[in-house]
């Protein structure tokens, strides 16, 4: 990409961007002259296009100016005429002494002829070109024909004439000093809306008093204007609101009227302008209502997200005013995009108060019921999970709706997917811990729905809740009855054996199709590297399919055990042990025969779990950890009378206390997040009061977030408020002090762009000609703008800027050379620059996600990088395990997902999950497992990094390795 502004300096405005072809060779000067002289119109057009591209790339084609004037300028070809306008814009028009070249007289005559051409489109194109012309000597003889175009019969000519007058007046006001009066007269008689729009835009920038006067005279007709003119009216108000404070009432009235415009763009700008003009509650509500209507009616998801983002910022600045819009905003959930729905639910949660929480939860219930009946694709499942999480958060913040939410979840638990049902059970478990008065109802409803639960994750959560919160003897008996129905016939292994023997006896002995060996087929395939491989397929037997269907028809707990889910078996054993211990500790004490019956039946079930795991009825035998856990529960019931208090503490008090600490830690983290957000938006008592009438003109009478200047700063990346001293850390030395040319670069990273501000110093006593810097990149970096060539006087310096576009989160490298001519005529030199490494930490941001999302991404991501950790003895003495974790988090800019209460204590081992997200939306996961057995031992372990792309996994691994080295030093 290259830019050009004629012979303007590098800080002037740019008017042309041209994408050059890398596979096209630059033709020599003689070939271009020959093509321009003798070629056809197509050949001339191709040659002229090559000349334009060459000038933009820094080639010296000054000798071609006369050839273009003689052989191309007289043409009638439309394509050539368009290319000529581009050529007049970039071609060198000044000689070396700074005077205008003589050839430009011919150019001026041709431009004047086109300005008086009978074809209105040729006139319009020439007027558009004059808007970009900056040479006063060329413009002066063209002012008269341009003024005549203001009275042309065709609107296309008139609107371009007004734009040309505005552009010339802004850069060369001495050429047309009466431009404001001229445009005012034009505006009084003009009927075309586009022409009027250009005229109003010119007055707003050059004569704001005239623009406000016109707006005052036409205020009643603004509603009937076309969209472009209405948008320009909003721009006039934004620009003049500060200087014309007396007209604030007029401006507010116009903005209110345009909130009902038919154009969505006008409504959006009117709402932003209205909020900037007035902080009155009625104005804020009207603007927010317009935003909600736009988000509901828009068909483009990008528009919805943009409007919702503006609405969220408006809510943050005016807390409590927009709470009544929560129900209206929920209508936007009809949009199919999950990103829009997530944004809507996040805003609704911030708008929910004790006054509207009932209505919000009722609406979310209806939406969840509708989402349950939708198709089971990934988007529908994710939306159901998002709704459950939102209802969960709402009930956690407002306890008065917790009971109804629990009822909703438990009634629909069987209809939800496994992930959504697991989230719902997590909420039910949290409510049972926070609200003891609801525990009996929760346990009763959960037991009623127990037979419909099928997923192992959901069953484990349900068993834990029953084991923890079934406290009274009656609740224990009801729970035991439901668990027995969910387990089925006892003993487990004997019952399964009887069913298998009965099925074998009733099956026809002649029919052996169900017992035939599976059929196998093989074929040869060619791999990508050219080698051969055999691909085999195995056809399942009908008996196996029938067996799978038979398992699904069994009671839920028996089915998951036969599916080799022995983790659920250990939770079942633990819950049975808790129920027996609670029953034994009841007051008054239960009859001994009932206690012994429950105890014997529990031991029988636990023994059956172990025997099933060691039998041939399961595809995977029971693992050692599950075996030990079940056996521990059996021994606990065996010695329950001797160690009753110890077992009660271990099985009941400690587990419930650990979960209580987890809930308290989560609430504390959420409260800290709310406090931090509130502190960011709160106004302190001793803060300065901003008076709009006394504000600087930079604000233009509107809030900073809504001003045009603020948008321009965001686009240009000029919001960096770091001190100059801290910016020195981003300066990279490119050449040595002893080189003929010293260069250093300030690397400014702004999201997707990298701006290199390079200072070049000529350290010789000779003038260096045609000095240019040629850059190349390694990684997902692309050079956007090639630096131009310069001539630097002895011992002077120059500033060069280059833009780099970043497309992914990978560590990139920028390298290049400085090439210059001099001091001799034929001398050419080059200096190799030091490499500039783009740090991945510029794009990584700490982020938060729940455990379900983390485990889902951990399973999905395929790139893993494992880094072994080991510290020196000196470093181990200074840091404990938590300190080492903080050191890694600081080095990688990742957030810790493991709760703080899970990191307390001194067990000599630490395991934590870390998470971060890049500005490109890429996720980075890490799991750190380290140990320090004794106080004087080394810290050892490893960190596993997972990401969707290889680059981010390797880059984070390099940062961790560097942090390990820095810690060792």
């Amino acid at each position: 990409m290259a830019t050009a502004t004629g012979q303007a300096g590098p800080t002037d405005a740019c008017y042309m961007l041209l994408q050059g072809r890398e596979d096209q060779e630059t033709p020599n000067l003689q070939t271009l002259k020959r093509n321009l002289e003798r070629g056809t119109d197509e050949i001339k057009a191709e040659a002229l296009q090559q000349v334009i591209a060459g000038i933009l790339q820094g080639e010296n084609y000054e000798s071609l100016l006369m050839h273009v004037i003689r052989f191309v300028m007289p043409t009638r070809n439309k394509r050539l005429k368009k290319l000529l306008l581009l050529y007049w814009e970039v071609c060198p028009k000044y000689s070396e002494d700074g005077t205008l070249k003589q050839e430009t007289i011919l150019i001026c005559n041709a431009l004047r002829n086109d300005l008086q051409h009978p074809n209105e489109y040729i006139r319009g194109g020439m007027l558009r070109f004059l808007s970009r012309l900056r040479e006063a000597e060329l413009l002066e003889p063209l002012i008269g024909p341009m003024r005549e175009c203001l009275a042309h019969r065709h609107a296309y000519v008139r609107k371009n004439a007004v734009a040309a007058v505005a552009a010339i007046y802004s850069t060369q006001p001495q050429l047309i000093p009466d431009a404001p009066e001229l445009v005012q007269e034009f505006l009084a008689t003009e009927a075309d809306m586009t022409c009027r729009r250009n005229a109003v835009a010119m007055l707003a920038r050059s004569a704001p008093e005239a623009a406000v006067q016109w707006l005052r005279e036409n205020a009643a007709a603004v509603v009937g204007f076309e969209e472009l003119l209405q948008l320009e009216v909003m721009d006039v108000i934004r620009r003049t609101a500060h200087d014309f404070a007396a007209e604030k009432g007029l401006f507010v009235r116009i903005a209110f009227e345009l909130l009902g415009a038919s154009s969505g763009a006008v409504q959006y700008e009117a709402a932003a302008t209205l909020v900037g003009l007035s902080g009155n509650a009625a104005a804020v509500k009207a603007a927010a209502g317009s935003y909600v209507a736009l988000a509901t009616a828009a068909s483009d998801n990008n528009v919805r997200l943009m409007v919702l983002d503006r609405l969220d910022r408006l809510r943050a600045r005016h807390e409590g005013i927009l709470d009544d819009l929560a129900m209206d905003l929920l209508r936007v959930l009809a949009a199919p995009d999950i990103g829009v729905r997530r944004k809507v639910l996040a805003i609704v949660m911030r708008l929910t108060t004790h006054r509207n929480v009932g209505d919000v939860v009722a609406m979310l219930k209806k939406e969840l019921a509708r989402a349950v009946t939708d198709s089971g694709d990934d988007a529908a499942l994710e939306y159901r999970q998002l709704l459950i999480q939102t209802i969960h958060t709402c009930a956690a913040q407002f306890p008065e709706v917790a009971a109804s939410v629990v009822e909703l979840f438990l009634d629909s638990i069987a209809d939800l997917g496994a992930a959504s049902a697991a989230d719902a059970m997590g909420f039910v478990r949290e409510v049972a811990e926070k609200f003891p008065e609801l525990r009996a109802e929760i346990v009763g409803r959960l037991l009623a729905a127990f037979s419909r639960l099928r997923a192992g994750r959901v069953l484990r959560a349900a068993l834990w809740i029953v084991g923890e919160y079934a406290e009274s003897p009656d609740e224990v008996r009801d729970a035991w009855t439901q668990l027995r129905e969910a387990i089925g016939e006892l003993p487990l292994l004997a019952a399964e054996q009887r069913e298998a023997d009965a099925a074998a006896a009733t099956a026809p002995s002649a029919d052996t199709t169900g017992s035939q060996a599976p059929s196998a087929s093989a074929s040869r395939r060619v791999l990508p590297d050219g080698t051969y491989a055999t691909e085999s397929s195995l056809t399942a037997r009908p008996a196996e399919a029938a067996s799978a269907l038979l398992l699904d028809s069994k009671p839920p707990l028996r089915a998951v055990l036969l599916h080799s889910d022995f983790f659920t078996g250990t939770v079942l054993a633990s819950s049975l042990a808790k129920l027996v211990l609670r029953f034994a500790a009841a007051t008054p004490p239960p009859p001994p025969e009932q206690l012994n019956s429950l105890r014997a039946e529990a031991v029988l079930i636990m023994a059956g779990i172990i025997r099933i795991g060691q039998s041939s009825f399961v595809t995977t035998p029971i693992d050692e950890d599950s075996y030990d856990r079940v056996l521990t529960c059996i021994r606990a019931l065996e010695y329950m009378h001797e160690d009753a208090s110890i077992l009660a503490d271990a099985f009941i008090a400690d587990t419930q206390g650990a979960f209580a600490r987890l809930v308290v830690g989560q609430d504390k983290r959420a409260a800290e997040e709310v406090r931090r957000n509130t502190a960011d938006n709160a106004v302190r008592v001793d803060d300065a009061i901003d008076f709009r009438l006394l504000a600087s003109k930079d604000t233009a009478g509107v809030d900073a977030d809504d001003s045009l200047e603020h948008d321009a700063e965001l686009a240009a990346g000029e919001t960096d408020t770091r001190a100059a001293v801290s910016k020195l850390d981003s300066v990279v030395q490119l050449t040595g002090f002893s080189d003929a040319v010293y260069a250093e670069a300030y690397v400014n990273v702004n999201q997707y762009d990298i701006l290199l501000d390079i200072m070049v110093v000529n350290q010789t006593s000779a003038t260096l000609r045609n000095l240019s810097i040629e850059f190349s990149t390694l990684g997902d970096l692309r050079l956007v703008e090639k630096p131009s060539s310069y001539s630097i006087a002895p011992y002077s310096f120059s500033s060069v800027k280059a833009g780099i576009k970043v497309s992914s989160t990978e560590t990139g490298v920028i390298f290049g050379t400085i090439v210059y001519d001099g001091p001799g005529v034929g001398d050419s030199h080059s200096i190799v620059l030091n490499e500039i490494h783009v740090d991945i930490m510029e794009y990584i941001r700490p982020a938060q996600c729940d455990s379900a999302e983390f485990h889902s991404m951990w399973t999905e991501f395929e790139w893993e990088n494992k880094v072994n950790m080991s510290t020196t003895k000196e470093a181990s003495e200074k840091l404990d395990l938590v300190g080492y974790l903080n050191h890694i988090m600081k080095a990688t800019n990742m957030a810790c997902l493991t709760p703080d209460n899970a990191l307390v204590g001194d067990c000599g081992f630490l395991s934590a999950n870390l998470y971060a997200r890049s500005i490109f939306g890429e996720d980075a996961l890490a799991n750190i497992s380290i140990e320090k057995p004794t106080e004087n031992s080394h810290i050892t372990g490893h960190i596993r990094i997972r990401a969707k792309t290889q680059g981010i996994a390797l880059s984070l691994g390099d940062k961790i390795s560097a942090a390990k080295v820095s810690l060792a030093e």
Side-chain angles (χ1 to χ4, degrees):
M1 300 287 287
T3 63
T5 60
Q7 284 189 329
T11 60
D12 291 345
C14 298
Y15 304 105
M16 185 188 302
L17 293 175
L18 185 64
Q19 175 68 48
R21 292 174 52 185
E22 298 179 355
D23 58 342
Q24 187 176 20
E25 297 183 359
T26 303
N28 56 47
L29 199 58
Q30 297 300 325
T31 302
L32 291 175
K33 288 182 178 180
R34 183 173 61 253
N35 292 339
L36 292 174
E37 290 178 11
R38 306 172 186 174
T40 61
D41 286 345
E42 290 75 13
I43 296 176
K44 289 181 180 179
E46 185 68 25
L48 188 57
Q49 189 170 347
Q50 292 174 350
V51 171
I52 296 172
I55 293 176
L56 292 175
Q57 297 293 337
E59 299 291 339
N60 186 3
Y61 287 151
E62 292 188 19
S63 60
L64 292 177
L65 178 59
M66 203 60 204
H67 283 75
V68 174
I69 293 175
R70 291 176 56 194
F71 302 106
V72 181
M73 196 169 63
T75 184
R76 291 179 175 271
N77 186 279
K78 294 182 179 179
R79 183 188 176 195
L80 274 175
K81 279 189 170 294
K82 291 180 180 179
L83 289 174
L84 270 175
L85 296 180
L86 298 178
Y87 177 74
W88 299 142
E89 183 179 346
V90 302
C91 72
K93 307 175 187 67
Y94 291 91
S95 57
E96 294 182 358
D97 57 358
T99 59
L100 201 66
K101 292 183 177 181
Q102 296 296 327
E103 293 89 342
T104 55
I105 299 176
L106 301 175
I107 299 176
C108 185
N109 186 48
L111 299 180
R112 185 183 180 89
N113 292 336
D114 284 345
L115 275 179
Q116 297 174 339
H117 200 281
N119 188 309
E120 59 271 13
Y121 294 104
I122 293 180
R123 282 200 185 193
M126 183 55 58
L127 289 167
R128 291 167 64 90
F129 167 70
L130 293 184
S131 301
R132 301 192 298 271
L133 201 59
R134 293 294 177 265
E135 289 77 16
E137 295 88 344
L138 284 177
L139 288 172
E140 186 173 2
L142 303 176
I143 297 298
M146 182 188 64
R147 296 172 68 109
E148 295 175 359
C149 290
L150 289 173
H152 195 271
R153 58 180 177 80
H154 204 284
Y156 180 74
V157 177
R158 297 198 302 272
K159 75 174 183 180
N160 285 295
V162 174
V165 169
I168 294 174
Y169 184 76
S170 62
T171 58
Q172 308 287 345
Q174 73 278 5
L175 296 180
I176 182 169
D178 60 337
E181 294 79 9
L182 184 65
V183 173
Q184 274 186 281
E185 296 175 1
F186 171 82
L187 189 58
T189 58
E190 181 59 49
D192 183 77
M193 288 294 177
T194 307
C195 298
R196 298 177 72 183
R197 181 259 175 197
N198 289 353
V200 173
M202 186 270 177
L203 292 179
R205 290 160 177 80
S206 303
E209 301 88 354
V212 173
Q213 177 64 27
W214 174 86
L215 188 59
R216 190 184 302 112
E217 296 172 355
N218 295 270
V222 168
V223 179
F225 289 165
E226 292 184 0
E227 176 184 353
L228 286 177
L229 189 52
Q230 288 178 340
L231 290 174
E232 192 56 43
V233 167
M234 289 294 98
D235 185 59
V236 170
I237 294 175
R238 290 162 66 97
R239 290 179 179 275
T240 60
H242 178 265
D243 295 329
F244 296 88
E247 303 294 338
K248 180 180 177 180
L250 173 66
F251 295 159
V252 170
R253 180 166 59 84
I254 293 175
F256 259 112
E257 292 176 352
L258 290 182
L259 287 178
S262 59
S263 170
V266 176
Q267 294 180 34
Y268 180 81
E269 292 297 332
T273 305
L274 180 60
V275 173
L277 289 171
S278 174
N280 183 271
V284 173
K285 287 183 178 180
S290 179
Y291 286 144
V292 172
L294 281 174
T296 306
S299 59
D300 191 341
N301 291 325
N302 294 322
V303 174
R304 288 194 180 106
L305 290 173
M306 181 178 64
V307 173
L308 291 173
D309 184 65
R310 182 60 67 92
L311 178 62
D312 194 23
R313 284 191 289 170
L314 183 63
R315 175 207 57 79
R317 289 199 301 270
H318 303 277
E319 288 286 350
I321 296 180
L322 308 181
D323 296 343
D324 296 337
L325 294 176
M327 296 302 297
D328 296 332
L329 187 57
L330 286 174
R331 298 200 308 267
V332 188
L333 291 176
D337 184 70
I338 189 64
V340 174
R341 289 171 166 176
R342 182 178 288 107
K343 186 71 174 178
V344 168
L345 292 175
I347 298 175
V348 167
M349 282 306 304
R350 297 185 181 98
L351 295 177
T352 304
T353 62
H354 291 279
R355 293 186 293 106
N356 60 5
V357 63
D359 297 334
V360 171
V361 171
M363 185 67 181
L364 292 177
K365 286 180 180 180
K366 295 179 181 178
E367 191 67 20
L368 180 61
R370 186 183 65 82
V372 168
T373 60
D374 287 348
S375 59
D377 56 356
D378 294 340
L381 294 175
E382 185 178 0
Y383 181 46
R384 286 201 295 268
Q385 193 169 355
L386 181 62
L387 283 173
I388 290 175
Q389 292 173 356
T390 304
I391 297 175
H392 175 188
T393 306
C394 191
Q397 294 180 2
F398 305 97
E400 59 266 27
V401 298
S404 62
V405 172
V406 169
E407 179 181 353
L408 166 69
F409 282 169
L410 293 180
D411 290 344
S412 59
I413 193 73
D415 301 326
L416 301 175
S420 301
D423 289 341
M425 293 302 298
F427 165 71
V428 172
R429 181 171 58 181
E430 185 177 337
V431 170
E433 175 60 33
K434 289 183 176 181
F435 307 103
E437 65 276 7
L438 298 178
R439 290 176 181 175
E441 181 182 356
I442 290 174
V443 171
R445 288 185 174 275
L446 187 58
L447 291 175
F450 205 92
S451 59
R452 294 179 291 156
L453 306 180
R454 289 290 172 180
R457 294 171 57 186
V458 182
L459 284 171
R460 289 194 293 270
L463 287 171
W464 190 91
I465 293 173
V466 171
E468 288 293 337
Y469 302 116
E471 298 175 346
S472 66
D474 293 337
E475 291 176 352
V476 172
R477 294 189 186 95
D478 294 341
W480 202 273
T481 302
Q482 292 296 331
L483 292 179
R484 282 287 288 107
E485 293 180 0
I487 293 171
E489 185 181 355
L490 294 178
L492 292 174
L493 183 60
E496 288 298 320
Q497 188 64 49
R498 284 196 302 271
E499 290 183 9
D501 294 341
T506 56
S509 57
D511 187 6
T512 60
T513 58
S515 60
Q516 290 178 355
S519 59
S521 60
S523 61
R524 299 188 70 185
R525 296 178 64 92
V526 180
L527 297 179
D529 59 356
T531 59
Y532 290 94
T534 302
E535 183 182 62
S536 302
S537 61
L538 188 67
T539 304
R541 294 175 296 181
E544 294 178 354
S547 176
L549 293 175
L550 185 61
L551 283 180
D552 293 336
S553 63
K554 291 181 179 294
L557 288 176
R558 180 186 291 265
V560 297
L561 291 175
L562 293 175
H563 276 297
S564 304
D565 186 0
F566 296 106
F567 184 28
T568 304
T570 61
V571 179
L572 172 61
S574 177
S575 299
L576 292 175
K578 293 176 183 179
L579 290 175
V580 174
L581 292 174
R582 287 186 184 276
F583 192 73
T587 303
E593 58 274 10
Q594 292 185 12
L595 177 61
N596 291 333
S597 175
L598 291 182
R599 181 182 177 190
E601 199 168 27
V603 172
L604 181 62
I605 295 173
M606 297 176 193
I609 294 173
I610 294 177
R611 297 194 65 188
I612 283 287
Q614 296 173 340
S615 68
S616 60
F617 288 99
V618 294
T619 57
T620 304
I622 187 172
D623 56 282
E624 185 177 352
D625 291 339
S626 300
Y627 178 86
D628 293 341
R629 179 64 176 168
V630 176
L631 195 60
T632 300
C633 294
I634 294 176
R635 290 176 177 172
L637 294 183
E638 180 183 358
Y639 299 103
M640 60 178 292
H641 294 299
E642 291 83 351
D643 303 322
S645 61
I646 298 176
L647 292 174
D649 291 340
F651 277 86
I652 299 175
D654 290 349
T655 56
Q656 192 167 350
F659 181 67
R661 290 192 297 272
L662 178 64
V663 172
V664 170
Q666 291 177 350
D667 292 345
K668 187 181 297 184
R669 179 180 294 185
E672 180 67 21
E673 183 71 20
V674 172
R675 186 195 64 78
R676 185 163 54 248
N677 293 337
T678 304
D680 292 341
N681 298 322
V683 179
R684 298 176 58 87
V685 177
D686 55 349
D687 284 351
I689 301 176
D690 294 329
F691 292 94
R692 191 180 304 276
L693 292 176
L694 304 178
S696 62
K697 291 186 178 182
D698 294 337
T699 58
V702 295
D703 288 353
D705 288 345
D706 295 322
S707 64
L708 294 175
E709 290 78 5
H710 177 72
D711 296 339
E713 289 177 358
L714 289 178
E718 298 175 356
T719 58
D720 191 3
T721 58
R722 294 183 299 170
V725 175
S726 63
K727 290 184 178 182
L728 293 177
D729 297 336
S730 301
V731 174
V732 179
Q733 183 178 345
L734 300 180
T735 62
F737 293 108
S738 60
D739 289 325
V741 178
Y742 174 76
E744 64 181 22
Y746 166 60
V747 183
N748 183 17
V749 179
N750 179 43
Q751 293 191 353
Y752 306 100
D753 301 312
I754 299 176
L755 177 63
L756 300 180
D757 190 353
I758 308 161
M759 184 185 70
V760 181
V761 181
N762 181 5
Q763 301 191 109
T764 66
S765 59
T767 300
L768 303 182
R769 304 183 308 274
N770 298 329
L771 187 145
S772 63
I773 304 178
E774 299 177 356
F775 284 112
S776 298
T777 59
L778 182 64
D780 286 339
L781 306 176
R782 180 170 58 86
L783 184 65
V784 176
E785 181 179 355
K786 179 181 178 182
S788 303
S789 300
Y790 298 93
S791 294
I792 304 181
Y795 304 110
S796 64
F797 64 92
S798 179
S799 178
V800 181
K801 290 182 173 59
I804 306 274
K805 181 69 70 174
V806 186
S807 57
S808 70
T809 312
E810 294 187 16
T811 300
V813 180
I814 305 172
F815 52 92
T817 57
I818 293 179
V819 181
Y820 61 92
D821 298 336
V825 177
D827 296 343
S828 180
H829 304 275
S830 63
I831 302 175
V832 179
L833 304 179
N834 292 331
E835 296 177 351
I836 302 174
H837 293 270
V838 180
D839 193 357
I840 187 178
M841 291 299 105
E842 297 285 355
Y843 312 108
I844 292 292
R845 301 289 184 271
Q848 294 290 334
C849 69
D850 56 29
S851 58
E853 293 177 357
F854 182 88
H855 291 299
S856 176
M857 289 187 290
W858 187 270
T859 306
E860 177 186 355
F861 293 168
E862 56 184 3
W863 290 104
E864 178 174 320
N865 186 12
K866 184 177 180 180
V867 181
N868 294 322
M869 309 299 298
S870 178
T871 62
T872 60
K873 184 177 181 180
E874 292 78 9
S876 301
E877 293 175 353
K878 297 178 182 179
L879 287 178
D880 57 359
L881 295 178
V882 177
Y884 191 82
L885 172 64
N886 294 331
H887 175 72
I888 295 298
M889 291 169 55
K890 182 179 179 181
T892 57
N893 207 16
M894 303 183 77
C896 181
L897 301 182
T898 306
D900 294 337
N901 58 348
L903 301 176
V904 298
D906 188 11
C907 64
F909 177 78
L910 185 145
S911 179
N913 294 328
L914 308 179
Y915 177 62
R917 178 176 295 161
S918 72
I919 62 175
F920 306 101
E922 300 170 327
D923 299 299
L925 314 176
N927 173 264
I928 177 172
S929 299
I930 51 179
E931 63 177 351
K932 187 180 181 182
T934 62
E935 186 68 25
N936 298 325
S937 60
H938 298 256
I939 297 178
T940 58
H942 62 268
I943 298 178
R944 297 169 62 192
I945 306 165
R946 286 200 178 184
K948 186 173 290 185
T949 59
Q950 182 185 20
I952 191 171
L954 295 178
S955 300
L956 278 177
D958 294 340
K959 297 298 294 184
I960 292 174
S961 300
K964 180 174 62 173
V965 173
S966 65
L967 188 62
E969 294 176 351

